[in-house]
Structure formats: C-alpha cells, structure tokens
C-alpha cells in the first residue's frame, strides 16, 4: 500500500504553490524566492534581513546577496499582518514649514531608523479635528508606536490613543503636576510657561518696563509663553491688556514686520517686544532697519526658539534656545523602550531651555 504524504509536506507544497501563483500574478519577488536562491528557509531569510544577531554573518551576506540579485523588497503590510505589528511609527506634527518641527522630525528619524522603524508623518496644521482624523487613519496601519506634538488634544484623539494601546510619547510640552493622569503620560519637552517667564525677567533686568507680547498662530505653546510673560509683569505691577498683541495668522517674517509697525505706534511708547517666535522677531528687526528705529536703544526685541539666522540678524537676536533636536531624539528613545515593553526611568523628561542674550536687547 502506498504511504500517504504527511500533512506538513502537503501544507508546504500548497504554500509554495500559492506563493508562486501570487508572484506570477503580481510580479513581486517573495521571501520564498530569496530563500530558494540562498538555499535557506524563509524564516532564516526573515531573520537575516531584520538584522538579528543570532544569524551567522556569512549567512546574512548570502541572503542579502540573493535579495539584491532578485530585487526583493519586503512587504511591510504582510509583515504587520503576520506579527500584528508594523515597522513604522506614526508622528503627528503641526507644520512642516516651521524649522522647529523639521529639526524634531529629523532627530526622530535618525534615532528610529537604526532600530528598524520608519516614520509615517501626519501634519495637523494646528487643527484638533484634522489631528484626530489623521490619527484615526494612521491607526488603521497598525503602527508600532505614536509620537504626537503637545498635550492639548480633542477628547476623540485622547480616546483613540488610550483605546489603541499603542505606545505613545508626547513632544514639546510637560504636564502640570495637577493634571489628571499626568503620571501616565510619557512626555519629552520643557516648560513653555517658564521659558516665557524667564525671557520676560531678562527684559525687566535690562531696565525695560513697557514690554509688549506679540503672538501669532496662537497654538497652545504660544499661549503658555503668553501666560509666563503675563505672570511676571503682573507680579511686577507692570501688566496691561494693551501690551498684548495677538494675531491668529501663521507666524512669518512679513507678519512680524507688520506687528512691529503697529506696536511702535502705541502710546505710551513700548520699550521692549517679546515675539513668540523668531521669524516674527526677525521680521521686526528688518522693519526696524527700514524705519531707522534703533534696536536696542529705542526698543529691545526678543524672539523664541533660536531658529537659523537669529544670530546673523542686525543686531543679533536675543531669544530662547529650545533643545528641539534633543527632544526628538529623547522622545524616539523613550518610544523604543515602550515598544520593547520596558518602563522608562522617567515618564516626563524636562530638557530645559536657555535664554540667549544678544545685541537686540
């Protein structure tokens, strides 16, 4: 009587046939094709291409050579389906036109790539509804982790993060100790409020008494800087609502110049202006040159973030240096720990800030 073939052999044959059929249908080189060319099993190919240390270096070289020859490209969707986990991290940032977030994003990618993760970027345009929709769409791709900007989110976004059970790290902000569930949040940033207060104290120390605050975009972080400025002036008995110049338009050089002209027309005269972002302050310095208004003799000008070019202005711009690249790197490292199931030593990491005094104050 002929022996029946084993169920394992039958299954293997069926899988191979299915893969061959799929390749013929799509033209895509499969993991099994690479395994056959390298003379190893598909699981060995998978481990070799993932860079697992347990795989012999010579074997890794053989597998990589076969993959290169065949033009094999891993299928991330198939990998996510098989492992219930993808190799990408969803990153939500407000703007790509702001150099601050470009620096953060580059640091995140530079840290995640060696660990085998790619970033899926979503731009929220400072819109809570858009952020929620982007997050909903990205969660459909089963990200291994999330990095989101700030702590001010819609109830829907907070619910999506909580229910997804995907490890999440927040950038740029730190929760107040009184914030409900603050201990459960993983954050890397600094106190925007204290940074605003520190710059205001610096201007007071230079003898300035009529210190205006010029804010644009009016996102949560700008408003926290405003709170810091306001608290210091109120404590000094120097605050007045007429010193607050707030415009919801996007921050830009042009807007900074316009706001500078408006503020300088105020009576009694302003002797210092704290701009919420460096591009506004740089626009103001250019306007001051055009109008022949001496800085800092007539009015001191200060910005925030120490963006590229701040030290090249005339005069060089006083500002707050924020550790955005370090924030991106530290947040990515914290997320890698969470994705490995580890508990970070600190749930909230405060990387601080630095008031940089230059010629404009």
């Amino acid at each position: 009587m002929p022996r029946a073939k084993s169920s394992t052999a039958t299954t293997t044959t069926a899988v191979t046939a299915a893969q061959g059929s799929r390749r013929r249908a799509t033209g895509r080189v499969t993991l099994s094709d690479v395994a056959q060319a390298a003379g190893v099993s598909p699981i060995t190919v998978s481990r070799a291409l993932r860079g697992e240390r347990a795989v012999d270096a010579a074997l890794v070289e053989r597998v990589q050579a076969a993959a290169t020859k065949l033009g094999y490209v891993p299928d991330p969707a198939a990998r996510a389906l098989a492992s219930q986990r993808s190799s990408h991290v969803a990153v939500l940032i407000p703007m790509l036109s702001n150099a601050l977030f470009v620096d953060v994003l580059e640091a995140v990618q530079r840290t995640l790539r060696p660990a085998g993760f790619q970033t899926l970027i979503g731009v929220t345009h400072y819109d809570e509804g858009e952020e929620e929709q982007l997050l909903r769409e990205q969660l459909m791709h089963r990200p291994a982790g999330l990095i989101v900007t700030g702590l001010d989110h819609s109830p829907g976004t907070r619910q999506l993060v909580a229910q997804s059970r995907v490890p999440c790290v927040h950038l740029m902000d730190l929760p107040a100790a009184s914030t409900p569930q603050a201990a459960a949040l993983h954050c890397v940033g600094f106190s925007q409020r204290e940074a605003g207060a520190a710059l205001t104290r610096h201007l007071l120390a230079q003898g300035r008494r009529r210190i205006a605050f010029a804010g644009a975009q009016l996102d949560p972080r700008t408003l926290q800087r405003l709170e810091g400025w306001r608290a210091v002036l109120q404590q000094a008995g120097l605050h007045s609502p007429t010193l607050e110049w707030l415009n919801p338009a996007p921050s830009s050089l042009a807007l900074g110049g316009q706001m500078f002209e408006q503020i300088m027309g105020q009576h009694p005269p302003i002797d210092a202006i704290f701009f919420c972002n460096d591009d506004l302050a740089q626009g103001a310095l250019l306007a001051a040159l055009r109008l022949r208004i001496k800085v800092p003799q007539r009015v001191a000008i200060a910005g925030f973030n120490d963006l590229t070019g701040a030290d090249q202005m005339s005069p060089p711009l006083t500002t707050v240096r924020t550790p955005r690249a370090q924030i991106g790197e530290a947040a990515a490292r914290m997320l890698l720990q969470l994705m490995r199931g580890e508990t970070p030593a600190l749930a909230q990491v405060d990387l601080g800030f630095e008031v940089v005094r230059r010629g404009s104050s």
Side-chain angles (χ1 to χ4, degrees), residues 14 17 36 206 313:
Q36 185 175 2
Q206 304 310 306
M313 300 302 294

Side-chain angles (χ1 to χ4, degrees), residues 215-226:
Q217 195 71 61
L218 306 188
D219 60 272
R221 283 163 297 285
T222 291
L223 297 180
Q224 289 169 35
R225 295 165 203 165
L226 170 65

Side-chain angles (χ1 to χ4, degrees), residues 257-307:
Q258 295 169 14
M259 296 182 80
F260 177 78
E261 291 189 40
Q262 294 168 350
I263 294 170
M264 293 307 294
Q266 181 171 324
H267 295 282
I270 299 295
D271 61 12
I273 309 173
F274 172 1
F275 286 93
C276 76
N277 202 33
D278 276 359
D279 56 357
L280 291 175
Q282 290 171 1
L285 285 173
L286 293 173
L289 284 174
R290 186 177 67 252
L291 298 172
R292 298 184 179 181
I293 296 175
K294 291 185 177 182
V295 177
Q297 293 87 343
R298 167 64 183 82
V299 60
I301 292 178
F304 202 96
N305 281 320
D306 196 22
L307 299 180

Side-chain angles (χ1 to χ4, degrees), residues 326-345:
Q326 294 92 327
I327 287 172
E329 179 180 348
R333 292 193 183 283
M334 180 183 287
L335 184 62
L336 286 172
Q337 286 185 283
L338 293 172
M339 291 189 296
R340 291 193 296 260
E342 301 170 3
T343 301

